Amino acid sequence: MTLLDANAPNARQQAQALTAANSEGVWLSNDAERAMRAGDFDRAISLQRRALALKRRAYPELSIQTAISFNNLGEALFRAGKLDEADEYFQKALAVRETQGPAQDVAATRDNIGALREAQGRFDEAREIRLRGAEKKQMLCGNYDCPTHQMFGLDELSACSACKSVFYCSKSCQKQDWTKRHKPLCKGRAATAQTSN
């Protein structure tokens, strides 16, 4: 990142360039979100990479703004099945968010890592990362499309009765996530446990 010297002759132009880079990064990230929702993961990844590059020009590497892009790129990579690379970006986002907040963003990244751990078959680690927010009532519903978008305490959520690694705010959210995402992972875990016994 270029640090601005307010007394430099071209300070105004530098500030305008940084603002433009940030605005373009936000636009690219929003376009990437639309591509991801449409199932075009390669385009979403490409757009998120470009957004991150612009954010890195405008902000320090370990800023809240770059953490947003780290998390968004992690989500796109995760949905594309690139689990190791998604993990790398989620960890970068979490490192920033745990020290700088905000709490909702920390909870979102923890839940993303939890979903990633489920996909990797690491259910105990999925539970552990999600439970990090329990004490401060900073847990999210495990349904990515939960309409509440709010944080909960553990006492307000119900765990999956089979794997106990994901938590839901309602039966409706649990059913929706079961159908869209969790069922094959949870059933695969149960089948693996039976064959290893």
Side-chain angles (χ1 to χ4, degrees):
M1 178 190 139
T2 305
L3 296 176
L4 289 177
D5 177 359
N7 297 320
N10 61 348
R12 174 172 278 172
Q13 290 85 3
Q14 286 179 348
Q16 289 171 338
L18 291 175
T19 300
N22 182 58
S23 296
E24 178 72 7
V26 170
W27 182 86
L28 288 168
S29 187
N30 289 340
D31 196 27
E33 179 65 25
R34 286 187 289 278
M36 194 165 64
R37 292 216 179 254
D40 190 351
F41 302 120
D42 290 337
R43 178 169 166 70
I45 290 167
S46 175
L47 291 166
Q48 290 294 4
R49 287 189 195 284
R50 289 173 48 202
L52 178 59
L54 288 167
K55 293 276 186 83
R56 284 176 160 160
R57 281 182 36 208
Y59 299 101
E61 178 76 8
L62 301 179
S63 68
I64 292 171
Q65 292 80 7
T66 55
I68 291 167
S69 289
F70 289 147
N71 188 75
N72 290 347
L73 180 53
E75 286 183 359
L77 290 161
F78 177 49
R79 302 248 177 331
K82 299 178 180 186
L83 304 186
D84 291 340
E85 197 174 359
D87 196 10
E88 173 187 342
Y89 284 99
F90 284 147
Q91 294 301 327
K92 287 180 179 185
L94 188 62
V96 174
R97 289 175 163 185
E98 284 187 325
T99 60
Q100 298 182 40
Q104 182 88 19
D105 289 355
V106 179
T109 298
R110 278 195 310 257
D111 201 69
N112 284 336
I113 293 170
L116 175 69
R117 294 291 177 261
E118 288 177 66
Q120 293 169 323
R122 297 158 60 184
F123 288 85
D124 289 342
E125 291 176 43
R127 178 179 172 80
E128 177 194 326
I129 191 77
R130 287 179 167 128
L131 286 174
R132 275 200 214 166
E135 189 175 306
K136 293 183 180 180
K137 297 186 179 280
Q138 295 176 351
M139 295 177 67
L140 294 183
C141 176
N143 176 17
Y144 186 78
D145 295 317
C146 176
T148 68
H149 301 291
Q150 69 182 42
M151 292 187 294
F152 299 93
L154 183 59
D155 60 327
E156 301 169 280
L157 299 169
S158 299
C160 170
S161 60
C163 70
K164 309 216 183 316
S165 69
V166 60
F167 304 87
Y168 300 101
C169 68
S170 68
K171 291 284 185 197
S172 173
C173 275
Q174 185 170 7
K175 183 177 180 181
Q176 187 178 7
D177 190 51
W178 180 258
T179 304
K180 283 186 171 182
R181 183 194 69 84
H182 187 62
K183 182 178 181 178
L185 302 171
C186 195
K187 287 195 175 272
R189 176 195 159 277
T192 301
Q194 285 180 348
T195 58
S196 66
N197 289 336

